Amino acid sequence: MFTTRPTLQGTFGMVSSTHWLASQSAMAVLEDGGNAYDAAVAGAFVLHVVEPHLNGPAGEVPILLAPAGGEVRVLCGQGVAPAGATIEHYRGLGLDLVPGTGPLAAAVPGAFDAWMLLLRDHGTKSLADVLKYAIGYAEDGHACVENVGATVETVRELFETEWTTSADVYLPDGKSPRPGELFRNPALAATWQRLLAEVAGAGDREGQIEAARAVWRSGFVAEALVRQAGRPTMDTSGERHTGTLTAADLASWSASYEAPATYDWNGWTLCKAGPWSQGPVLLQQLALLPTELPAYGSADYVHLLIEGCKLAMADREAWYGDADAVPLDDLLSAEYNAARRRLIDGKASHELRPGSPGGLAPRLCEHARVVAPAEPGFDPMGAGEPTVARLTADGGTRGDTCHLDVVDRWGNMISATPSGGWLQSNPVVPELGFPLGTRLQMTWLEAGLPNSLAPGRRPRTTLTPSIALRDGVPVLAFGTPGGDQQDQWQLHFFLAVATRAKARGGLDLQGAIDAPNWHNDSFPGSFYPRGMRPGSVTVESRMDEAVVEELRRRGHDVTVGDAWSEGRLCAVARDPEAGILSAAANPRGMQGYAVGR
């Protein structure tokens, strides 16, 4: 399999992330004696600084962790809808969808508390130790990747006329961040420096972390976030609205641990966040596979995966959410998937076909039943993850989010997908240097659905990191940015690893990442304006032309995108028998890197 880089191998530690500065900062923590969890926290806060168009401290993060000798756990950093975020309130404002930007779309911020909980319970370093890298890049500057400035340019008019606090940070002297020039965010650096100063007298390491959590919930950070939510803000509705986030909402929420959703496949066990995320979509796609797979990369193979994805995504729309008990056991059962598998024939389906697990009737919102096609072009208001909901004229997407994987010499492993709170989601909070998030746009303004907007419920997130076990032992952590595409790209990656493993030398992580990838949009998008393209498939131009033509013959509406345009996967692995660690990162986008030794 062709590779752009080698799969890294070593014995000390491995990091893979969507930005080289985050990867190297995390590696520096490992070199300084920290473990995988210390390293991940340091890398995550650097991602807030160097990929501000893709994530921020007031966003969210699901985390999968596999402590050496322990069980895989999910750390949920997805905040809930505020107490005032009711369907009646939004409908009363004349809305039929939650806006894609602005404070009405803000859930209770979840990322910061999740990282603090991880550091407290599983790390060894102090808060100052892990924050120093992010503070340094925010205060002293870093050379921006091209997409930061390009993203700012798309929202320049909005920043200059409405979101002026964002212009203060991202358009200093009227200029957007440029590659090769240092970009600074002194307000963000000052926030973390003030935080450290306020918690310095709180006792030991754990005491200081707990004090930091309190500052976020009820101190100067919380006060600034609530003030910002109360400011009338222009959003994608074309109107100015205030949000619903209050001091009580911030004070009452905290990140939490839970068991992962799992599925056993050919000696592997895949672990995902539960159905408050789209994570089980990957598990359902595996459950839909036949015993014998077609030849890897053939038209039969690609067709099978596309059609299985459509069925799993239809079930996501009908069943996933934080409202009731999701019938996940039935959705993953052999009987259910055998029946669903029979729906896949030689032709492309253009219908949304949710199933009836346990004999229950599927529930789809009105928008999903009559959803309009996705609109081409770019929305200058900057909706989506970011703009992942809006397709370009050639079927591609612009932007996504972040990802980070770490494995250390002791065998601790972590996979995390930070997102939300990006610079085009909400105005920068002037006192803090970062904006609120917009995850509530994933909920429906229709009662009685698994993913209806309701106070205290988590919006169903697209963020979906993965950990895989081999014969019960954690050996692989992986994930990707990309909104609704995440569990499509991850399936292709995992199958490439699992079915094409080297006879000697371990898993070919880089080859699996570099392999031509694809996605479909045959289901309602998770981001405003929630469009879909029935029967669509977007493939990289590196895919075999004969495969593309056969897919078209079968009725797929195929768009051929750029050669390196599908996916931004990261991965780390460990071979417990050989004692070898490995890592690889996606070359697409020219900024993801793996490091290790």
Side-chain angles (χ1 to χ4, degrees):
M1 188 181 291
F2 168 79
T3 62
T4 58
R5 313 166 181 175
T7 295
L8 304 185
Q9 292 187 316
T11 58
F12 181 82
M14 291 284 164
V15 181
S16 179
S17 88
T18 48
H19 195 288
W20 62 83
L21 291 179
S23 294
Q24 187 53 46
S25 297
M27 191 67 201
V29 174
L30 294 181
E31 295 283 5
D32 194 41
N35 65 20
Y37 308 115
D38 298 312
V41 176
F45 279 87
V46 170
L47 286 172
H48 296 158
V49 179
V50 300
E51 293 193 316
H53 59 311
L54 304 177
N55 78 135
E60 44 275 324
V61 59
I63 301 170
L64 267 67
L65 57 150
E71 295 184 351
V72 176
R73 300 290 288 170
V74 175
L75 176 50
C76 174
Q78 174 57 67
V80 299
T86 65
I87 291 174
E88 293 74 21
H89 176 63
Y90 287 65
R91 290 287 189 178
L93 296 173
L95 301 171
D96 59 2
L97 289 174
V98 177
T101 60
L104 276 177
V108 177
F112 180 86
D113 196 64
W115 291 119
M116 292 300 99
L117 201 61
L118 178 71
L119 185 65
R120 185 196 72 182
D121 295 344
H122 298 279
T124 64
K125 293 292 188 178
S126 71
L127 185 58
D129 285 337
V130 297
L131 282 182
K132 65 183 180 183
Y133 305 93
I135 292 172
Y137 288 125
E139 184 171 36
D140 301 325
H142 67 282
C144 277
V145 295
E146 183 177 357
N147 281 342
V148 176
T151 301
V152 172
E153 283 300 318
T154 65
V155 287
R156 170 183 284 274
E157 182 179 356
L158 177 67
F159 281 13
E160 291 178 335
T161 60
E162 296 282 348
W163 296 8
T164 56
T165 57
S166 297
D168 292 342
V169 175
Y170 291 104
L171 290 168
D173 300 320
K175 297 179 181 179
S176 59
R178 298 179 182 180
E181 296 181 1
L182 287 180
F183 173 75
R184 297 175 175 87
N185 188 342
L188 178 57
T191 294
W192 300 143
Q193 288 166 334
R194 179 177 174 182
L195 178 75
L196 291 176
E198 291 198 6
V199 307
D204 61 7
R205 189 187 78 90
E206 292 187 9
Q208 291 185 9
I209 295 169
E210 279 301 296
R213 298 178 72 200
V215 170
W216 181 274
R217 287 192 187 128
S218 57
F220 79 92
V221 175
E223 293 167 359
L225 293 174
V226 171
R227 280 195 299 271
Q228 184 63 44
R231 294 180 176 121
T233 301
M234 179 67 70
D235 60 36
T236 51
S237 72
E239 302 289 338
R240 296 180 184 89
H241 293 115
T242 56
T244 61
L245 185 69
T246 67
D249 294 318
L250 284 162
S252 62
W253 186 86
S254 67
S256 58
Y257 295 98
E258 59 188 57
T262 63
Y263 185 76
D264 295 330
W265 184 83
N266 286 8
W268 295 81
T269 299
L270 271 290
C271 301
K272 302 289 284 186
W276 53 267
S277 76
Q278 75 171 356
V281 163
L282 178 60
L283 309 184
Q284 282 198 248
Q285 290 178 97
L286 289 171
L288 283 162
L289 294 176
T291 303
E292 295 293 330
L293 292 178
Y296 178 86
S298 66
D300 286 340
Y301 179 87
V302 178
H303 174 79
L304 174 69
L305 268 58
I306 292 169
E307 293 303 302
C309 175
K310 292 176 186 177
L311 294 175
M313 284 295 196
D315 278 342
R316 183 194 75 167
E317 291 308 307
W319 299 108
Y320 291 19
D322 201 30
D324 330 281
V326 177
L328 194 57
D329 288 344
D330 288 320
L331 288 168
L332 296 176
S333 69
E335 180 182 14
Y336 177 78
N337 285 285
R340 296 284 278 162
R341 194 178 303 118
R342 288 193 288 271
L343 296 175
I344 300 175
D345 56 24
K347 296 294 183 181
S349 169
H350 289 236
E351 301 175 15
L352 192 66
R353 300 183 290 179
S356 300
L360 300 172
R363 297 166 291 174
L364 291 174
C365 75
E366 184 65 27
H367 189 81
R369 294 194 293 269
V370 296
V371 66
E375 300 176 36
F378 179 69
D379 179 6
M381 295 294 289
E385 187 178 24
T387 69
V388 105
R390 295 276 181 135
L391 301 171
T392 61
D394 64 359
T397 58
R398 293 188 180 92
D400 28 57
T401 180
C402 304
H403 189 79
L404 175 70
D405 299 310
V406 188
V407 60
D408 64 27
R409 53 184 154 159
W410 301 287
N412 299 303
M413 186 176 286
I414 184 170
S415 181
T417 310
S419 187
W422 42 72
L423 65 86
Q424 62 275 43
S425 64
N426 260 298
V428 166
V429 184
E431 306 94 323
L432 303 177
F434 58 83
L436 287 163
T438 56
R439 195 62 53 171
L440 292 186
Q441 67 179 291
M442 305 189 139
T443 61
W444 297 113
L445 297 181
E446 183 178 335
L449 300 167
N451 194 32
S452 298
L453 176 67
R457 287 182 184 169
R458 293 170 287 190
R460 188 196 69 214
T461 182
T462 52
L463 307 174
T464 171
S466 302
I467 284 181
L469 288 63
R470 185 69 174 168
D471 299 321
V473 178
V475 297
L476 177 64
F478 61 99
T480 179
D484 296 305
Q485 285 77 46
Q486 289 182 31
D487 280 312
Q488 301 186 56
W489 292 331
Q490 289 187 66
L491 175 70
H492 313 161
F493 164 80
F494 173 72
L495 290 178
V497 168
T499 62
R500 297 170 66 85
K502 295 178 182 178
R504 299 175 64 184
L507 304 176
D508 183 14
L509 302 183
Q510 194 65 51
I513 288 173
D514 289 349
N517 219 321
W518 64 89
H519 80 271
N520 84 90
D521 300 291
S522 296
F523 46 85
S526 294
F527 295 90
Y528 183 93
R530 315 299 298 268
M532 72 177 186
R533 298 170 63 227
S536 69
V537 178
T538 302
V539 305
E540 291 181 322
S541 61
R542 294 180 295 129
M543 182 175 282
D544 189 309
E545 290 183 8
V547 172
V548 172
E549 289 308 309
E550 176 60 17
L551 292 174
R552 287 176 170 151
R553 190 191 69 79
R554 297 184 185 199
H556 295 280
D557 180 11
V558 180
T559 296
V560 178
D562 292 339
W564 296 91
S565 55
E566 293 286 316
R568 280 180 68 200
L569 282 143
C570 299
V572 300
R574 60 185 292 263
D575 183 337
E577 294 183 1
I580 299 294
L581 309 178
S582 56
N586 173 57
R588 302 165 180 88
M590 303 292 287
Q591 66 190 68
Y593 270 88
V595 296
R597 68 173 180 88

